[in-house]
Amino acid sequence: MQRSCLAIVLAAGESTRMRSSVSKVLHPIAGRPMIAHVMESLAAAGVGEAALVVGRDAEAVARAAARPDLRIHTVEQTERLGTGHAVLAAAEIIARGYDDLLVVFGDTPLVTPQPLKEALAAVAAGNDVATIGFETSRPGGYGRLIVRDGELIAIREAKDATAAELAITFCNGGLMAIDGRKALDFLRAITNQNAKGEYYLTDLVEIARSAGGRAVAVRASEAELGGCNTRAELAHLEALWQARRRDELMLSGVSMIAPDTVYLAFDTEIAGDVLIEPNVVFGPGVRIERDVVIHAFSHLEGAHVESGASVGPYARLRPGAHLHAKAKVGNFCEVKQAEIGAGAKVNHLTYIGDAVVGAETNIGAGTITCNYDGVNKHMTRIGAHAFIGSNSALVAPVAIGDGALVASGSVITEDVPADAVAFGRARQELKPGRAPILRARYQAMKAERQKRQD
């Protein structure tokens, strides 16, 4: 029979050290709130129900934490009296009865499902408490995990530790699994008799042992248990997340010339045999298929790039951009809410917005789709095998037929039928011999201006 589990997610931080106007768990890592990363790991660990302990920005935190695969109860922590006190804010929900209780923090966005599973497995195996810890060469102010013969004897806060205990490098990550049948009794036994006058969740280890129970510690990496209290720590967590995800992608067959310069979003999908050049940024909602090249200094968000296509350098794909197989969007181009057909080329200095470009069509340099009338957006539809000459303006709504040709420098305001040639520009005039006269006039004007300045 599957065990029932309630996760207690502590997310009532005030953001005091963040110097922020919003709750710290709402600050993003890889483009989404850090609380959402935590909830994803809980769901992946098999947790189906969570009590979200909130304070500041309660409604926004609840929205950010919401997932269809997690039943979430929101409870408010009105006082800040320590982690043990925070968990007891969910006492009414805990009392409904669960096999396991799992306590996590909303500001540990790098935690993976594996240590959560291991802690729950330890409780399922008969232990009363399973704490998740990490080894570090800089234990500093972390609580120390005191382990003897495989059993966790105590968690000692740094301010209460002896010199010998401070030498321990196995430290408390703060996350903990508890036998759900005993959790409330353990939690209510916590006192605030310590240097900070707070109710420490870590006291559960000694409380469980004094009741004849057993506690153990499971290990996770230091990186995935890192919390966030300052903007500097937020940047550090972002860097760690990015490095981890880049490694995962490269191991899956993605090539990155300068990995440290590539920035990914939480949901970036990149298939194998993709080459990413330096200084590329992926916003949310990007899917890249196989054999694509993303050239340097490109920015993609909400875009789908099919196999064999090429992007950049210095290209911007905005939400709704869809490049079909072997399409090309080149340097200093922007594509928004537009389909670029298979084999079509948008090579340089061009804006294509709210448009459909057919297969094998060529869009000349400097072309723009004039999609906005100041109030509404309008569509431009360009057929297959068409040619749009350089520096053309296509004033939407407008349609260019298959195989049509638009002359360079044209302003197109009416539909162009298939295989037609469209000219939308003023007639060129010639004035033989006038160039020397104009040059003399301009030189005289310049001389007069310089004379006045002198």
Side-chain angles (χ1 to χ4, degrees):
M1 181 182 296
Q2 186 175 359
R3 295 172 66 86
S4 61
C5 176
L6 175 70
I8 308 293
V9 185
L10 305 184
E14 292 284 353
S15 284
T16 303
R17 284 180 284 173
M18 294 282 283
R19 302 290 193 270
S20 176
S21 60
V22 298
S23 169
K24 69 176 177 179
V25 301
L26 295 176
H27 285 263
I29 297 291
R32 70 170 172 178
M34 63 177 81
I35 184 71
H37 290 271
V38 175
M39 305 309 282
E40 180 181 46
S41 288
L42 287 174
V47 176
E49 200 165 347
L52 185 66
V53 181
V54 298
R56 181 179 184 182
D57 299 318
E59 292 183 5
V61 171
R63 286 194 300 270
R67 292 181 60 90
D69 51 1
L70 266 178
R71 183 185 178 194
I72 299 177
H73 315 273
T74 302
V75 296
E76 186 176 2
Q77 182 186 8
T78 56
E79 296 181 278
R80 306 292 184 268
L81 300 177
T83 51
H85 180 265
V87 173
L88 271 175
E92 184 177 334
I93 299 167
I94 297 170
R96 296 175 186 177
Y98 298 86
D99 294 318
D100 306 317
L101 206 66
L102 181 63
V103 180
V104 299
F105 295 104
D107 66 342
T108 54
L110 271 61
V111 66
T112 63
Q114 187 58 34
L116 304 180
K117 292 179 179 179
E118 291 179 10
L120 289 172
V123 170
N127 296 290
D128 292 307
V129 176
T131 291
I132 302 175
F134 62 96
E135 286 285 351
T136 178
S137 59
R138 296 176 295 177
Y142 292 116
R144 306 308 202 266
L145 299 184
I146 304 172
V147 179
R148 294 176 190 161
D149 300 323
E151 187 173 354
L152 181 61
I153 304 301
I155 304 175
R156 192 78 69 229
E157 294 296 327
K159 289 188 177 181
D160 300 315
T162 66
E165 291 168 342
L166 288 173
I168 295 172
T169 57
F170 189 26
C171 295
N172 180 32
L175 287 64
M176 180 182 292
I178 311 166
D179 185 330
R181 297 163 299 179
K182 304 175 182 179
L184 273 179
D185 289 339
F186 289 168
L187 289 165
R188 286 169 175 157
I190 297 173
T191 70
N192 64 347
Q193 303 302 307
N194 52 64
K196 293 179 69 175
E198 293 185 352
Y199 296 87
Y200 293 152
L201 184 65
T202 51
D203 287 351
L204 286 187
V205 171
E206 294 178 86
I207 290 170
R209 283 175 52 78
S210 68
R214 176 181 166 88
V216 294
V218 301
R219 295 176 185 270
S221 69
E222 181 177 1
E224 65 181 302
L225 295 182
C228 183
N229 291 305
T230 67
R231 305 279 182 157
E233 290 174 349
L234 180 68
H236 179 64
L237 291 178
E238 178 76 36
L240 291 173
W241 189 97
Q242 293 290 337
R244 184 168 75 185
R245 184 63 182 131
R246 287 190 293 253
D247 285 347
E248 291 170 352
L249 287 172
M250 288 187 286
L251 288 171
S252 74
V254 175
S255 293
M256 299 183 189
I257 293 175
D260 288 350
T261 70
V262 175
Y263 289 86
L264 304 155
F266 69 97
D267 60 351
T268 303
E269 298 179 34
I270 306 177
D273 291 318
V274 168
L275 172 62
I276 303 174
E277 293 184 354
N279 298 294
V280 172
V281 175
F282 294 94
V286 175
R287 180 157 67 98
I288 309 295
E289 296 185 17
R290 299 186 72 87
D291 299 309
V292 167
V293 177
I294 310 294
H295 292 285
F297 294 98
S298 294
H299 188 287
L300 300 81
E301 181 178 359
H304 178 194
V305 182
E306 293 189 17
S307 296
S310 175
V311 178
Y314 293 97
R316 184 182 183 197
L317 302 187
R318 291 171 57 194
H322 183 178
L323 277 59
H324 288 260
K326 298 184 179 180
K328 181 176 182 180
V329 171
N331 49 294
F332 302 103
C333 293
E334 180 179 346
V335 178
K336 186 272 297 184
Q337 201 64 47
E339 299 265 347
I340 309 299
K345 295 180 176 63
V346 184
N347 271 328
H348 28 237
L349 303 165
T350 293
Y351 171 68
I352 302 294
D354 298 285
V356 174
V357 177
E360 301 295 337
T361 284
N362 187 88
I363 307 295
T367 296
I368 60 172
T369 56
C370 306
N371 57 328
Y372 186 49
D373 63 9
V375 178
N376 299 301
K377 300 289 181 70
H378 302 280
M379 287 291 297
T380 298
R381 301 184 184 276
I382 305 171
H385 300 279
F387 181 90
I388 310 299
S390 297
N391 202 35
S392 294
L394 311 179
V395 183
V398 70
I400 313 294
D402 293 346
L405 188 153
V406 173
S408 296
S410 293
V411 177
I412 301 299
T413 58
E414 298 178 1
D415 291 353
V416 179
D419 293 320
V421 177
F423 293 84
R425 61 193 183 202
R427 182 179 296 276
Q428 179 175 317
E429 293 189 18
L430 297 177
K431 304 291 184 180
R434 287 292 297 274
I437 297 172
L438 287 176
R439 275 196 295 270
R441 180 186 302 170
Y442 298 152
Q443 288 169 354
M445 292 170 62
K446 181 179 179 180
E448 181 62 27
R449 186 168 61 250
Q450 289 177 337
K451 183 178 178 181
R452 288 197 301 269
Q453 290 174 350
D454 293 341

